[in-house]
Every structure is written in structure tokens, then in C-alpha cells.
Amino acid sequence: MAIERYNAPAREKHWQHVWESRNVFQASNEHTRPKCYVLEMFPYPSGRIHMGHVRNYTMGDVLARYKRALGFNVLHPMGWDAFGMPAENAAMERKTHPAKWTYDNIAAMRAQLKSMGLSLDWSREFATCDVEYYHQQQKLFLDFYKEGLAYRGVGKVNWDPVDQTVLANEQVIDGRGWRSGALVETREMPVWYFRITKYADELLDALKDLTRWPEKVRVMQANWIGRSEGLLMKYELSGERLPAGWRELEVFTTRADTIFGGSFCALSPGHPLTLELAKDNPELAGFLEDCRHVGTSEEDLNRVEKKGFNTGLTATHPLIPDRKLPVFVANFVLMGYGTGAIFGCPAHDQRDFEFATAYKLPIVPVVIPEGQDPATFDLGGEAYDGPGRIANSGFLNGLTIDEAKAEVARRMEEIGKGERRTMYRLRDWGISRQRYWGCPIPIIHCDACGIVPVPEDQLPVKLPEDVTFDVPGNPLVRHPTWKHVDCPSCGKPATRETDTMDTFVDSSWYFARFCSPHADVPVDLDAAKYWLPVDQYIGGIEHAILHLLYSRFFARAMVATGHLNVKEPFGGLFTQGMVIHETYSNRNGQWLLPSEVRIEGEGDQRRAYEIATGAPVQIGPVEKMSKSKKNLVDPDDIISTYGADCARWFMLSDSPPERDVIWTEAGVSGASRFMQRVWRLIDEALPKAAPKGSPKPGEFGPDADALRRAAHKALAKVSQNIETLRFNVAVAQIYEFASTLHAALGKDGPGMAWAIREAAEILVQMFGPMMPHLAEECWERLGYNTLLADQPWPTVEEALLVDDTITIAVQVNGRRRDELTIARNASKAEVEAAALKLEPVIRALEGRPVKKVIVVPQRIVNVVA
RNA sequence: GCGGACGUGGUGGAAUCGGUAGACACACAGGACUUAAAAUCCUGAGGCAGAAAUGCCGUGAGGGUUCGAGUCCCUCCGUCCGCACCA
């Protein structure tokens, strides 16, 4: 009598209910056991979960369940990154309130996540738009402000003149506002900053200790911080048109060794001196206008010609008083790096070389490669930036590059014309957003007192609820009453800051809030001391720089303000690959959902048709699932058809977790088939298995022994591979062991029944973290009325991992000829003797004398002839 | 241009302390069961030659180190990702 198919969707609801009603996954507040904090990047509540979420949360869940079974006190929380623009856009489009839209979405997504059977501690859930959360964030802001880590300064922002709003960089597309299409202007206005540059060195240096982070992410962060050590130099300026107050020009260089090769100085178009000069120089103003146009185009910046404008000013070479260098404004000099001014050494910098060629400036090599004569060295049409010795440089001649750098620095410091300086690419973090749906910055502007922090007892500064989105601009600015307050300091009428915080602020400390989600301080220090850092953080590579760098800054800032005791928030980081899928388009070029397409045939014969019309469909490349390409598979559909376990198992199979996984129908049905196979396997094993709790027999026959060895070896490997997040390999090993158990059911002998029960239980426990519902179901069938989720991870019997006899390969001259089964502890001589007796070995030797025999114990024998 | 990663059967991928390459899965082929199909079970399979035993060739290409290289070194080719005039 065949067993019924396992009805995953129905049984999954049952087990989810059981877990929830028993609070199985609540982290304990008793900080006695060793802890493990597993965190996946929390989602933006867009309204629906997508397959990327399924993959991300499945991985975290496997680890969390596994660690739980190992006895750790596991913290595995979930929350919502809930502030941000989409809610305001929805408000504009649908006449709803951002809060309602957001909380409705959260409710929908929470239900979806629950249907995945994740081992989450829902008691710690929060959204960043909860007043309770942003209240604490305002406290942090005020503490940062007191500590000098938050400040107000004038900054450049992207201003959309039509929508009358500031745009984030990501919202500026080809120089235009993404919604209005208006040309974006650069405006200078007062904005709030976090002083991340204070920790530039620390953030860079500590990267080397983040050994459980992907190398790639560390490299990206290091480049982003962009530390370079060099010399800040002062060039004396002269010239008729020199504006008052400008006697010196500061330039930064990392190649002070080439100072004698300098043939010009160049200012950035945005340099203050440039702007000063442009005031009464229409020609220069015109040049700047040209630069601005080029500046917006992105890619071919490299190919843009090096253009300059001769200001007529001269700069005096600091070490050669009679050498005057022309001062240009040049389009390739960036204001955002160094001092916004350079000295140009054409022989050893490609950009300077091109510039000097265009403007017929001297090109004098001062670094000569080893073996070349300074008198005859020819650059050959491009700058030389390799190693060598200094020449044509007076007192520097003959020195190496490093020696020359040191010598120039020493002399320049001596004469007060220079100082060693470290520059960074990293800028302070501008957090002001002129938007409604964000955390209000708790500041009051008073005509008399200036900037006044909102007193802590007046927090939270709540967002007003009665706002409208029918006109452009920030609703907080035009709200009739909200911003009008009395100055806390002098009591006179004053106004609130109407900027809200960048949503990246919200996500920079949420991991810490999970330690004590309802505390009336940002973070309960005792809880944080126990739980932090996060042991394993899992998320997409797209956050490699911003979110992860901001969080690292926040941890340091929170340590400085007494809110935290760890500077690195994430001990281990794992960046998972994307979920990708074929794309489909019809004759009219419209994208079609996979569910709208019927596929026929295989391989070259594979054809797709639109279900509604029967018309042929073009099968396009496999790409990241996206709304625009409509190559989406809805997790809900998969879960309601095949079950959450099936989706989870598929996500873990085949593809290594850091690589992209191609979602295919075939793969899903394969996963589903395995679920049914396991279900039947347990059913078939039961009648042959010893009763639950039977005493371990004193004797095992060869087949029983072999099964036990296979079980414990599989257990050891699966444990190891879950531990190292190599889920695809763990899955393969579970497949393999399921086959082994299946084959063993036909065998008999002493101890077999006991071994079968042991093997079945180990199998179920091994896939428990991956397919938790099916595992509970099987556990129940195995006769238990306890939850598998509460069951400790099975213990590996080490003795079973070591076999008495082993099979090793035998090579002749490095080619495998045979294998040899021999006692594990056989001596080298015994192995050698046995190997030389093998028929294929003798044949391969063809009578040649054996020169030597290499025996690597328990590994291989190589006969060299 | 700079930086990083990668390149293994028809496909996704195993095998990284240098030691039997291709585990496991998908797709495929053959068989069993069935009136039939589905489902399920069994078997096969890197390529070439051969009935088979077996032999030769094989981890992007070429070279090197080694008793032995997918793994280490050098050169080249290709793919993907990140940064992009960073002084």
C-alpha cells in the first residue's frame, strides 16, 4: 500500500503554527549560554517578497537553525527598513498616506515571510518608521552632535527645480531628475553631515582584521576610503590679475620626487581661486561653462580631451626660485580630491603628459628607468610611471623614488613650504534629505540662539500625520504649524529643522537595536555586550560600500558616545548571489512573465509560446529577476504549489551561495521530487527500523557497520559544510546519503534494524535546517512527540569516521593504473610490496626496473620507472 | 585605464594541505512496472578507438616546478564584477 504524497502546503501551515504557539525561536534574554547572532539584511517593505529575499533568508535560516541545534542561544531577528521615497511616491500616486502604505506592506510581507517557515524571533520585530525607533535615533543624533560627530555645513546638493526638491545621487539620471525630467542644478545649501572622515584611518586599517568578510568587499571599501600619503606644497603666486588675498597656491602630490619635472600648475574649475578669477574674466567664465557640460556625461570622461585655460598667473617653484610655472584651469582636475589644485609633471603622469602636449609645455623626464641614460632616455609618446632613479633634479639626482620623496618632504618642511599630509577620497556623509518620510532631525533654528538641539525630554520629534502630497516640495516645510516652535533656549519663536535623515542612517544601527528592541535607550549596553557583534551577516553585494561602511562608522560613533562597546558590527559577512531567470518577449517587444509562457521541447528544439494567444515567444538572456523585464517568479506561487521547503531546498542546491542561481522549473520539480522521495524513504525505513529508543546492540554486521559509517561520515561533512555556508555541497551529501540509506533497506544482518533507525534519524536531522517542515513531519513519523526544532544536533561518533581498511590509488609514473585496498595502518613497505604485485602495475611497467616508489600513507602510491 | 573574481562533461557544479578529475543534481538514453500515460524504481554515460578487456586524450591556450598539477609559478586569451581623470 503506497503512502500518500506529502502535502507540503497543508503540513507547512501546521508546523508553522506549532512553532509559533510554542515560541520556539525566541532568543533567550538570559545571557548564560554561548550566543550566536545570525542576521540577514532587513527588507524594504515594498509590499511583496521576491526570490532574492527567499534565497537570503533561507541561507540565514539554515545557519540559525543549525546553530540552535548545536546549543547556541541564537538571535535571529527580522525588521523593516521602512522609511524612504517609494512610500511618498505611492502617496502622491494613490492618495494614500506613506504610513498606511508602509504598514500595509509590512503586514503583507510579514505573512509571506511567515509562510517560509523561518526560525525568526518575531518578538523583536520593529520598523524604522516606528516612532519608538526613530525616537532613539534622534537621541543618537543629539549625542553625535554633542560629540562633534554631526554638524551643519554648506554642501552641494542635486536640486530639481520642477519638483522643488533635493534628489539623491541615485535619482539623477543623465543629469535630469528621474521623475520630473528637469535638468538638475547643483545648489549650495546648508545640510547636515556625519563626520565619517574622522574615522577614515580606523575604518581602513580595521579592514585587515575582518577576515570573515569577502576580500572583494574589503577592497571596495579600501578604494572608497582612498587614502593616499603625500606632500602638501605651497607655490607662491604672482601676476597682474591675482585677486587680493591669494598669495599662495596649495597643491597636493603623491609624487614629490618629480617636483623638478613640474612644468605647470592647474586648478580645478571649481577651485575658489578659479571662481574668483572668473568674476571679472568672461572668457574664463565661458570656459567653466563648457567644462560643466562635459562634466555631466559619464563614461567617456577618460576620452575627453584635456582642456585648459591659461589664467596668466604664475606660480614660483618652491625649490627653484627663478622657475615660474604657468597656472591653468584644467578640466581634469577634481575639486573633490586633495586641494583641487595640482602641479603637473608631464613626463610621469599620463594626464599631465596629454595636457602638456596640447599646450606645448616642457616635458622633462626626471625618473629614469634602470639601465637608461638620462641624456638619451626617450619617453616614447607617453608618461613613464615605473621605477627608476632621479635625474635632471639638482640635489635629488641619483636617488630612488622613495628616497627623493623623503628628501623633498624634509626640505619643504624645513623651508615652511610643505608638509606631509594624508588625503582621503572619503567625504563626510551628508544625511539631510528634504523629504517627509524619514526621521526628523531634532534641531531648532533660532534667530537669536542659532542652532539649538531639541532637549531630550522633548523627544521624539514626531512626523505630523496631517500632510498632503498634492504639490511638489517637502510637506514638512509647508505644514501650517509643525515647524513653528518656541526656542528651547530663549523662548522666542523659532523653527524646526525640516530636513529628515537619509534612510541609510536608519539601517546603520538596526542590528544593535535588535539586542534590546524595546529599550528606552537606543541600545541596552548589557544586551549589546552579550549579542554583538553579529556573528554572521548575509546580504547582497550591492551594499558592499555604503550600508556596510556607514554601519562601521555608526558602531564607532556609538562607542564614542557610550552606546556600544564594539567597533566592528559584523564579524562575518557573506554576500549572496542573485536569483536570475530567462526573459521572454513577444513579437511586439513586450516582456512576458514566465507564468504567461508555455515552453515546449528541449535543447535546440526548445520553443516558447504565449499561453493567452499561442503566439511564439522569443526566449531572451538569463538576467536578474526584475519588474522591468518581468522575468519574475512569485514566491507565493511556489510556496502554495510545492511548499516552502521546496523553494528553500532549490535555493540551496546546485549553485554555490555566493554565485547567481538560475531559477528553473526543472530545478523546482527536482527539489519537489526529492521531498517526496525522502517522505517515502522514511516510510519504507520504518518497518525495518528498530523501535525508538532501542538499546544499541553490541554487535553490528558488515552491512550495518557500513551504513553506520556512511551516516556518521555524511553527518560530519554536512555539519562542516553548513558551518562554512557551502550549502550546495551539503545538499549533495544529503542526496548521496539518502541513496545510501535506500540501498541499505534491502540488507540484513546483526544490528541492521538499529542502524537503519539511526541512519533515518540522522538523515532527517541533517536536512532539518533546510527543509524544516518536512523534517518535523518525518520526526513525528519516526515516533517522536517532541519537536525536531528542539532536538540537539546529532553527535558524530569519531571512531566511525576512520576505516580499518582503505582504498588508495596506485600510479605508475603519475598515471593511475589500479587501486589497492589495504589495512589503514599498513607500513610503507607493506603498501609498496602490495602495489608492486598488482597486475595492472606490472603490465604498465613493461619490464622496466622500478627506480623508486613514493608512498604517501593513506593517500597514494606512485611507482616511478 | 586601474582593481578584483573566474574559466572543469550537454547543463548547474564537486574535487583547493599538490595525491583515483567529473561527487550530487538537471537534461539525456535504455530497461522494469502499466491497457496506456504520469508517477516510481533500476541501469548507462567526459571524448576518441574497441565487441570487450583495455589503451590514448582530457579541467581556456602555451610553457615551467614536481614522483605526481584542475590546484603552485610565468606568459597569453576570454568572461563577469567594481572603480573610473584620485594628483
Side-chain angles (χ1 to χ4, degrees), chain A residues 50 61 209 226 228 237 326 344 427 461 475 490 494 497 538 579 748 797:
Chain A
H50 54 69
D61 199 49
D209 301 322
S228 50
L237 289 169
R427 304 279 86 142
V461 178
C490 67
E497 173 63 63
I538 307 177
V579 183
D748 215 337
E797 280 186 33

Side-chain angles (χ1 to χ4, degrees), chain A residues 214-342:
Chain A
E215 174 72 11
K216 182 189 174 98
V217 175
R218 288 189 281 165
V219 168
M220 282 167 75
Q221 291 212 353
N223 290 340
W224 184 263
I225 295 167
R227 176 163 69 193
S228 50
E229 277 152 35
L231 193 64
L232 192 68
M233 305 188 293
K234 288 173 183 164
Y235 282 65
E236 216 167 281
L237 289 169
S238 53
E240 280 173 32
R241 292 188 160 191
L242 186 64
W246 284 95
R247 301 195 25 221
E248 289 177 332
L249 179 65
E250 281 201 322
V251 306
F252 177 71
T253 183
T254 56
R255 291 297 304 271
D257 54 306
T258 65
I259 190 166
F260 283 84
S263 57
F264 65 95
C265 282
L267 305 171
S268 163
H271 195 279
L273 177 55
T274 307
L275 300 176
E276 191 73 31
L277 288 166
K279 277 181 187 167
D280 48 10
N281 187 337
E283 216 185 326
L284 175 55
F287 175 77
L288 297 184
E289 190 59 33
D290 291 345
C291 288
R292 211 165 293 145
H293 287 306
V294 177
T296 50
S297 85
E298 317 158 12
E299 287 191 2
D300 348 62
L301 271 176
N302 225 5
R303 267 153 254 144
V304 169
E305 254 181 88
K306 304 286 178 279
K307 281 190 188 158
F309 181 92
N310 195 334
T311 61
L313 303 178
T314 57
T316 304
H317 195 293
L319 296 176
I320 317 171
D322 57 354
R323 191 186 292 181
K324 310 279 190 195
L325 307 179
V327 178
F328 285 79
V329 175
N331 63 349
F332 66 92
V333 181
L334 303 175
M335 194 54 221
Y337 189 79
T339 61
I342 63 160

Side-chain angles (χ1 to χ4, degrees), chain A residues 702-757:
Chain A
D703 288 334
D705 185 62
L707 178 58
R708 296 202 67 220
R709 287 177 184 279
H712 284 266
K713 282 178 189 169
L715 176 60
K717 285 193 275 188
V718 168
S719 307
Q720 182 61 34
N721 284 314
I722 292 177
E723 191 85 49
T724 52
L725 309 180
R726 291 149 48 84
F727 303 120
N728 57 320
V729 185
V731 163
Q733 278 146 356
I734 290 171
Y735 268 112
E736 199 172 1
F737 181 62
S739 299
T740 304
L741 173 56
H742 185 252
L745 293 183
K747 293 173 180 165
D748 215 337
M752 198 60 189
W754 197 89
I756 285 174
R757 166 159 287 273

Side-chain angles (χ1 to χ4, degrees), chain A residues 53 224 501 530 545 570 755:
Chain A
H53 292 127
W224 184 263
M501 295 184 213
Y530 173 69
I545 296 175
F570 312 118

Side-chain angles (χ1 to χ4, degrees), chain A residues 110 172 261 313 382 457 686 764:
Chain A
R110 184 192 299 117
V172 181
L313 303 178
E382 58 179 23
D457 59 10
L686 268 172
V764 169

